[in-house]
Amino acid sequence: TGLRFLVLLVLACAVLARDPDLWCGACKGLFDEIEYRVSKVHPKKTIDVGQFRLDPEGKTKATAVKYARSETFLTEVLETVCLEMKNYSEFQEGDRKVYRRYQNRPEQKGPLNLKDFGWSVDSQDNLRLACDHISAELSDDIVEFYMEEEDKNTKAHDKFCPKFCKHQEPKKKKAKKDKPDL
């Protein structure tokens, strides 16, 4: 199975290299799903981390940390988060493709927003492969970011996705020079 995965990954990278919109969508989707899963953990849930050996006084050096920000939880999330790409699909925005979630989450009610929607199993599979690649490439940095996240104003996708979304940066408009009144 390891060889099969490697062959699929190499083929996927060749296909995906042609579609920067897909890479950007996979990155944004990855962090959307991580944020969602982190938000679903009860804020008071904790896990003991540290050394569990007894010191000479019979005490341990374990400390309780928030479960949603623990390495254990984040590693588990990263192992399965890209499976959620089955709930994402291609949408057309002007002259470019964007990928976003089209399925409602369990607690969301109401109609789906399917304007300019283009569903394809192939695009979902490619999105999943790109997500898996990004997750594997950035896993240590992602876990570290969420464990140490002190600045709530910094969004994970703002930190990590510009590498994959360079082509979608807004173009800077040239400032118009004011013409003098004649």
Side-chain angles (χ1 to χ4, degrees), residues 86-99:
K86 69 180 183 265
N87 295 314
Y88 285 72
S89 199
E90 178 183 312
F91 289 78
Q92 199 66 36
E93 280 189 2
D95 61 342
R96 68 185 174 112
K97 296 179 289 188
V98 294
Y99 294 83

Side-chain angles (χ1 to χ4, degrees), residues 131-180:
C131 178
D132 284 335
H133 180 81
I134 294 167
S135 175
E137 181 181 327
L138 300 176
S139 63
D140 292 340
D141 295 330
I142 292 169
V143 170
E144 184 178 320
F145 175 83
Y146 281 97
M147 286 176 63
E148 296 176 357
E149 185 185 3
E150 297 295 326
D151 182 7
K152 299 292 182 188
N153 294 325
T154 302
K155 299 287 184 199
H157 71 270
D158 290 338
K159 178 177 172 107
F160 295 107
C161 291
K163 174 181 178 180
F164 302 99
C165 300
K166 290 179 185 175
H167 69 289
Q168 289 190 1
E169 291 176 359
K171 294 179 180 159
K172 295 178 182 173
K173 295 181 181 179
K174 293 180 182 178
K176 295 180 181 179
K177 293 182 181 178
D178 290 336
K179 294 182 180 179

Side-chain angles (χ1 to χ4, degrees), residues 50-62:
Q51 296 180 351
F52 294 97
R53 293 184 181 184
L54 296 176
D55 65 13
E57 297 173 11
K59 297 180 182 176
T60 62
K61 293 186 180 182

Side-chain angles (χ1 to χ4, degrees), residues 10-182:
V10 169
L11 290 172
C13 287
V15 170
L16 300 175
R18 296 183 220 140
D19 193 352
D21 291 327
L22 188 110
W23 283 93
C24 183
C27 188
K28 289 179 179 180
L30 169 67
F31 289 103
D32 180 49
E33 293 302 321
I34 293 171
E35 292 287 338
Y36 175 74
R37 290 192 185 180
V38 166
S39 75
K40 298 311 286 177
V41 176
H42 193 283
K44 292 187 179 184
K45 185 173 183 178
T46 61
I47 186 172
D48 290 331
V49 297
Q51 296 180 351
F52 294 97
R53 293 184 181 184
L54 296 176
D55 65 13
E57 297 173 11
K59 297 180 182 176
T60 62
K61 293 186 180 182
T63 57
V65 297
K66 290 184 177 183
Y67 183 67
R69 302 290 177 182
S70 70
E71 185 174 8
T72 301
F73 173 73
L74 294 167
T75 301
E76 289 172 3
V77 166
L78 287 173
E79 288 175 5
T80 59
V81 71
C82 291
L83 295 173
E84 291 300 317
M85 293 301 114
K86 69 180 183 265
N87 295 314
Y88 285 72
S89 199
E90 178 183 312
F91 289 78
Q92 199 66 36
E93 280 189 2
D95 61 342
R96 68 185 174 112
K97 296 179 289 188
V98 294
Y99 294 83
R100 61 178 179 255
R101 189 175 180 91
Y102 72 92
Q103 288 280 11
N104 285 342
R105 298 192 190 276
E107 66 277 358
Q108 291 175 321
K109 305 293 183 219
L112 298 174
N113 180 4
L114 299 178
K115 185 177 183 215
D116 301 319
F117 170 73
W119 185 80
S120 161
V121 172
D122 290 338
S123 71
Q124 288 176 325
D125 290 344
N126 289 337
L127 203 59
R128 160 105 191 267
L129 289 169
C131 178
D132 284 335
H133 180 81
I134 294 167
S135 175
E137 181 181 327
L138 300 176
S139 63
D140 292 340
D141 295 330
I142 292 169
V143 170
E144 184 178 320
F145 175 83
Y146 281 97
M147 286 176 63
E148 296 176 357
E149 185 185 3
E150 297 295 326
D151 182 7
K152 299 292 182 188
N153 294 325
T154 302
K155 299 287 184 199
H157 71 270
D158 290 338
K159 178 177 172 107
F160 295 107
C161 291
K163 174 181 178 180
F164 302 99
C165 300
K166 290 179 185 175
H167 69 289
Q168 289 190 1
E169 291 176 359
K171 294 179 180 159
K172 295 178 182 173
K173 295 181 181 179
K174 293 180 182 178
K176 295 180 181 179
K177 293 182 181 178
D178 290 336
K179 294 182 180 179
D181 292 329
L182 297 177

